[in-house]
Amino acid sequence: MRILILLLALAQSTFAAAEADILVAFDNSYTDGVGGDENAEVLTANSVAASNWINEQSGTPARMRVCGYHKTTGQGGRSTLGGYVGWLAWYGDGNLDDVTTAADAAGADLVAFICEPAAGEGAAAVAHQPGRYAAYGPANFWNNVVAHESGGHNYGCDHRAGRDNPKTIMMHNYCGGGSQAFFSNPNI
């Protein structure tokens, strides 16, 4: 009986989800456009939940849990999305230090920062691969993009993990490109 219980315990831990705590940070350039902080929290929580559904449908073990929210102001248009990711990665440089401090205090494994980028930005979002940080344009924090950036690139997936027919989440140009809401490989 003890052996059976031990085997069941081992089997459950073998298939346990890879859960990451994510801090969702946003600038007023996002919250002003969605009707305030409370709406921003609801919308982003729904996008993270929908991203988790994509992982579940794909058979991947990855899940994200929102461990907190943080609002900052006056960042809109100061940098590109890649620049915001760089600022987040460089602790103590005076740029977005409040966000990284909040992420550390919340015990966040991942940080999603939503902010209006500098004029001319063409990307929907940018993420470290692998890494902790992702930055999103205000209109682009939705399930497929969250799954691609925070649920894909931050976990180490690149565009080669995508499949073209049907187009899957990690395929480049998933936005507007008709991507299906699943990963082509569950081993992320």
Side-chain angles (χ1 to χ4, degrees):
M1 183 65 167
R2 286 184 193 173
I3 293 173
L4 179 59
I5 292 172
L6 178 62
L7 288 175
L8 288 174
L10 289 173
Q12 286 179 336
S13 65
T14 301
F15 298 107
E19 190 167 286
D21 289 332
I22 185 168
L23 177 90
V24 179
F26 33 72
D27 181 69
N28 63 293
S29 63
Y30 176 65
T31 59
D32 293 350
V34 298
D37 297 359
E38 293 81 14
N39 287 348
E41 290 178 11
V42 169
L43 290 169
T44 57
N46 286 339
S47 295
V48 170
S51 172
N52 286 338
W53 177 84
I54 290 170
N55 280 290
E56 183 179 319
Q57 294 300 109
S58 303
T60 72
R63 304 286 181 274
M64 290 179 280
R65 181 181 71 85
V66 176
C67 66
Y69 299 95
H70 179 77
K71 182 178 180 179
T72 190
T73 60
Q75 299 299 323
R78 290 189 59 221
S79 186
T80 63
L81 295 173
Y84 291 135
V85 169
W87 287 353
L88 290 164
W90 287 96
Y91 282 72
D93 69 352
N95 292 302
L96 301 177
D97 290 344
D98 60 316
V99 175
T100 54
T101 298
D104 291 343
D109 302 304
L110 302 173
V111 178
F113 181 60
I114 308 167
C115 187
E116 187 65 45
E121 174 72 59
V126 174
H128 271 159
Q129 179 186 318
R132 185 182 192 197
Y133 305 107
Y136 298 81
N140 301 310
F141 198 86
W142 56 281
N143 58 331
N144 283 23
V145 184
V146 173
H148 179 95
E149 301 294 342
S150 293
H153 285 316
N154 283 159
Y155 279 90
C157 295
D158 61 25
H159 295 147
R160 293 174 297 178
R163 196 170 57 199
D164 198 27
N165 190 14
K167 195 172 282 190
T168 59
I169 288 295
M170 290 312 299
M171 196 65 190
H172 190 64
N173 194 22
Y174 51 88
C175 300
S179 75
Q180 304 298 309
F182 66 91
F183 286 90
S184 57
N185 183 347
N187 296 318
I188 63 170

